Amino acid sequence: MNFTLKVWRQASPKAKGEFKTYQVSNISPDTSFLEMLDILNNNLIHEGQDPVAFDHDCREGICGACSLFINGHAHGPDTLITTCQLHMRKFKDGETITIEPWRSAAFPVIKDLVVNRQAFDQILQSGGFISVNTGGVPDANAIPISKKDADESMDAAACIGCGACVATCKNGSAMLFVAARVSSLAKLPQGRIEAARRAKAMVAKMDELGFGACTNTGACEAECPKGISIAHIARLNREFLSAKFQD
């Protein structure tokens, strides 16, 4: 398969970026998208050009590092996968593919396709944890938790913090990310102790870092590689309002 790639190139955070066009040829349909970029970079290096910078780590859909906007979609045209799980068979032979970094004021470009997502780390540091002294490891059945609550908590905890929700949202909102982190703890008894402080602190940090407001368009859920439901945003709103009434 042969492709024309329109890739965003930006030398540094303050440099002016632009799209550059490249050709890649004889790509196997079973090649992953990141492997295709590896081939492109190998060609560029042999030509004495600067390779395209892009984020990656596990390449197994776990870490969330492979954050790319491909043909107008976060992580590409497939659903419920990350970029590293996307394969070139999802594209047509001869297709032009546009590759961009996340577009959000809260995720400034570092170089080319790499963005700074430390804002998510700061939100987590503000309250996305529990600080309860649990002592020794308890028996598995020592703390009764209903299956429904456990399932909801685990579904929310599946969030990998890739930032697709922010990049997709027209407002650049981080509500789905924050809601997933709040829900993963709010549905468990260990997380209820600090629930009020957590909701207030994480929402305040999100606002401080310049993320936009949620207007419930549902785009975040549609593009989330882990299928996190916007129902968690409703829970976050309830947790936040409840915390306000406790002041």
Side-chain angles (χ1 to χ4, degrees), residues 6-247:
K6 292 179 62 179
V7 184
W8 183 259
R9 302 303 306 267
Q10 186 172 334
S12 66
K14 295 184 179 180
K16 182 179 180 181
E18 62 179 342
F19 283 104
K20 293 285 187 69
T21 302
Y22 304 100
Q23 305 292 330
V24 288
S25 304
N26 301 318
I27 304 296
S28 167
D30 296 326
T31 300
S32 75
F33 198 87
L34 294 191
E35 289 171 337
M36 182 274 296
L37 290 180
D38 289 336
I39 294 171
L40 168 64
N41 278 344
N42 187 60
N43 295 340
L44 292 176
I45 291 170
H46 280 293
E47 294 169 3
Q49 299 184 50
D50 188 30
V52 177
F54 63 94
D55 247 336
H56 62 93
D57 191 1
C58 73
R59 299 201 179 201
E60 295 180 348
I62 299 171
C63 70
C66 57
S67 48
L68 297 179
F69 218 66
I70 304 167
N71 284 352
H73 293 277
H75 294 298
D78 210 346
T79 57
L80 299 178
I81 63 163
T82 54
T83 300
C84 63
Q85 297 172 301
L86 177 67
H87 290 83
M88 300 313 296
R89 56 180 172 267
K90 284 293 179 178
F91 301 92
K92 296 178 181 178
D93 187 23
E95 185 174 348
T96 297
I97 304 174
T98 302
I99 311 169
E100 304 173 71
W102 284 167
R103 300 296 191 181
S104 172
F107 295 154
V109 173
I110 297 174
K111 182 179 181 181
D112 295 339
L113 304 175
V114 180
V115 300
N116 186 340
R117 291 179 297 163
Q118 287 185 353
F120 270 8
D121 295 330
Q122 294 180 54
I123 291 175
L124 288 178
Q125 289 165 4
S126 71
F129 55 86
I130 64 169
S131 55
V132 179
N133 183 1
T134 58
V137 179
D139 292 334
N141 297 322
I143 304 176
I145 301 172
S146 70
K147 186 178 187 305
K148 179 177 182 296
D149 286 344
D151 286 347
E152 285 190 49
S153 176
M154 292 302 295
D155 287 345
C159 171
I160 57 177
C162 67
C165 51
V166 176
T168 300
C169 178
K170 66 178 183 179
N171 305 319
S173 172
M175 282 290 281
L176 189 63
F177 168 75
V178 175
R181 296 307 187 192
V182 167
S183 282
S184 68
L185 297 173
K187 298 301 292 183
L188 302 177
Q190 297 92 333
R192 291 309 308 167
I193 299 171
E194 299 175 282
R197 187 198 66 80
R198 177 182 303 111
K200 289 189 294 183
M202 294 183 74
V203 170
K205 180 59 69 173
M206 175 182 66
D207 292 341
E208 175 191 325
L209 293 171
F211 289 99
C214 174
T215 51
N216 290 313
T217 64
C220 53
E221 178 181 334
E223 297 287 8
C224 175
K226 298 302 177 180
I228 305 295
S229 171
I230 58 174
H232 292 296
I233 295 179
R235 176 172 294 109
L236 170 60
N237 288 332
R238 291 194 298 271
E239 292 283 334
F240 183 74
L241 288 174
S242 176
K244 285 293 186 180
F245 283 125
Q246 294 178 32
D247 287 345

